[in-house]
Amino acid sequence: MDRRDWLKLASVAAVPMAARRAAAQGVPAAPFPGMTVRMAEPRNLEYPFAELKAFLTPTEQFYVRSHFAVPKLDPTGYTLTVEGEVVRPVKLTLADLSKLGEVTLPLTLECAGNGRVFLVPQPRGLQWGLGGVGTAEFTGVPLSAVLGLAGVKPGAADVVLVGADAGAVAGDAPSPGVIPYDRGIPLAKAMRPEVLLATTMNGEPLTAAHGAPLRAVVGGWYGMAAVKWLTRVVVTAKPHAGFWQTLDYSVFERPNGVPTLVPVTKMLPKASIARPALGDVVPANRPATITGAAWAGEEAVGRVEVSVDGGATWADARFTTAARPFCWRLWEAPWMPVTRGPARLVARATAAGGATQPAARDPDRRTYLINHLVPVEVLVK
Ligand SMILES: Nc1nc2c(c(=O)[nH]1)N[C@H]1C(S)=C(S)[C@@H](COP(=O)(O)O)O[C@H]1N2
Ligand SMILES: [Mo]
């Protein structure tokens, strides 16, 4: 679909009102068929999870989470600096980067606030339903190669990824004025092969919304570490305590019973039902299929179970795509709906190591890490 087709499409009623309003405000035109606008500006878009069909999410439907306006970056004059606790600080162009050797990996990204709309009482923050998640193939150089070039000094703790976007965050815990989007990851994770500095998504150059010309992707971790519009890599002597992993994107843990804020990191196991969707009418006495996806962050998905009675009894689902590291797996389960009336469908993923989804919400998680069991209510008729 070219820009002209998109503009044509933008004029028809199929495009949500908020999207048309955003287009009218001069937001760069790019197609996002069927997506829900969670915020018009900066534009935040949710994937229509009920449309899940394939392992890879089309880029035009891949959820967008941006805290600030898309920064204007010229790919020709673009450089990435590697600085801080390194032996040789370096400045790299995109051509320099690609010479370090590119790899292609499919990775699942989930926003740490995905599913927030299911929290009771409703907290502040973007009200994601099921679709703050997607899987794409990313091509880029391993962050380890870039760090190798600069030479990390002994004793370094974190690698801070800094984006070119910036703004002031309001609220109860405001930012100290205008700050960039940044995120630190421990050196051990930064050196792993599933951490890439990517220029390509699903075989095409990154789009502006997804971080062009260069973004990080951190396999197995929630999306907040996948810094878009990456311009600086800063190696630090101490663990980074930036805004985006202390006041934001942090949860409480209780070592020795003492509540302690820790940054959000690994994705937790989660299975989501794509179809039937919440509120669907399902014909009685006709074989149905429940379909969805499940992921478990750095671990493999060991098992997906489905319940059609609100969690009283469970049956194993069948995987319909292969296991790939750091990626979701699609699954399906047969269902013969007999009893007319409301039915509560629940899916539950268990990671290979045995960790599974909790039945109840843990308030220590604040408004993140939302993987407690949420039934999908449908009507059998
Ligand atoms: N520079 C920058 N990087 C960012 C963000 C941002 O606001 N600015 N949002 C983060 C969050 S919270 C998520 S979930 C992912 C979303 O990536 P996507 O928009 O490509 O889906 O980007 C991350 N990287
Ligand atoms: Mo996110």
Side-chain angles (χ1 to χ4, degrees), residues 65-144:
R65 175 64 181 114
S66 299
H67 291 83
F68 305 127
V70 173
K72 288 192 175 55
L73 290 176
D74 168 17
T76 48
Y78 172 86
T79 54
L80 175 74
T81 63
V82 186
E83 52 194 292
E85 296 295 304
V86 294
V87 182
R88 294 166 297 274
V90 286
K91 240 189 203 341
L92 302 165
T93 64
L94 293 171
D96 297 334
L97 276 168
S98 72
K99 281 184 210 129
L100 295 175
E102 290 177 330
V103 294
T104 298
L105 286 181
L107 295 172
T108 294
L109 259 68
E110 184 190 13
C111 183
N114 188 33
R116 190 173 285 136
V117 76
F118 303 115
L119 298 185
V120 180
Q122 180 188 46
R124 265 181 266 181
L126 289 189
Q127 298 300 307
W128 298 109
L130 299 175
V133 62
T135 298
E137 226 164 43
F138 294 95
T139 302
V141 297
L143 177 55
S144 64

Side-chain angles (χ1 to χ4, degrees), residues 72-303:
K72 288 192 175 55
L73 290 176
D74 168 17
T76 48
Y78 172 86
T79 54
L80 175 74
T81 63
V82 186
E83 52 194 292
E85 296 295 304
V86 294
V87 182
R88 294 166 297 274
V90 286
K91 240 189 203 341
L92 302 165
T93 64
L94 293 171
D96 297 334
L97 276 168
S98 72
K99 281 184 210 129
L100 295 175
E102 290 177 330
V103 294
T104 298
L105 286 181
L107 295 172
T108 294
L109 259 68
E110 184 190 13
C111 183
N114 188 33
R116 190 173 285 136
V117 76
F118 303 115
L119 298 185
V120 180
Q122 180 188 46
R124 265 181 266 181
L126 289 189
Q127 298 300 307
W128 298 109
L130 299 175
V133 62
T135 298
E137 226 164 43
F138 294 95
T139 302
V141 297
L143 177 55
S144 64
V146 174
L147 293 171
L149 196 69
V152 174
K153 285 188 182 165
D158 272 11
V159 177
V160 184
L161 308 169
V162 187
D165 53 332
V169 184
D172 294 337
S175 64
V178 174
I179 59 166
Y181 187 86
D182 67 64
R183 175 64 202 223
I185 53 180
L187 182 61
K189 178 69 178 178
M191 293 301 284
R192 292 199 43 94
E194 68 272 18
V195 182
L196 301 183
L197 306 189
T199 51
T200 298
M201 180 177 183
N202 290 333
E204 302 279 346
L206 280 176
T207 61
H210 292 295
L214 187 73
R215 78 170 303 169
V217 281
V218 179
W221 280 31
Y222 284 105
M224 78 276 127
V227 175
K228 304 191 278 190
W229 313 293
L230 183 70
T231 50
R232 297 174 67 198
V233 172
V234 185
V235 181
T236 60
K238 286 187 187 167
H240 184 54
F243 179 87
W244 307 99
Q245 59 200 74
T246 55
L247 298 179
D248 206 353
Y249 296 111
S250 60
V251 293
F252 284 107
E253 283 180 3
R254 294 175 185 254
N256 307 308
V258 183
T260 307
L261 270 184
V262 297
V264 170
T265 58
K266 293 179 280 195
M267 287 187 275
L268 299 179
K270 185 167 175 180
S272 286
I273 297 173
R275 291 179 301 277
L278 181 65
D280 276 359
V281 173
V282 181
N285 300 310
R286 286 234 297 269
T289 306
I290 302 168
T291 64
W295 54 98
E298 293 183 337
E299 285 190 68
V301 180
R303 185 178 190 192

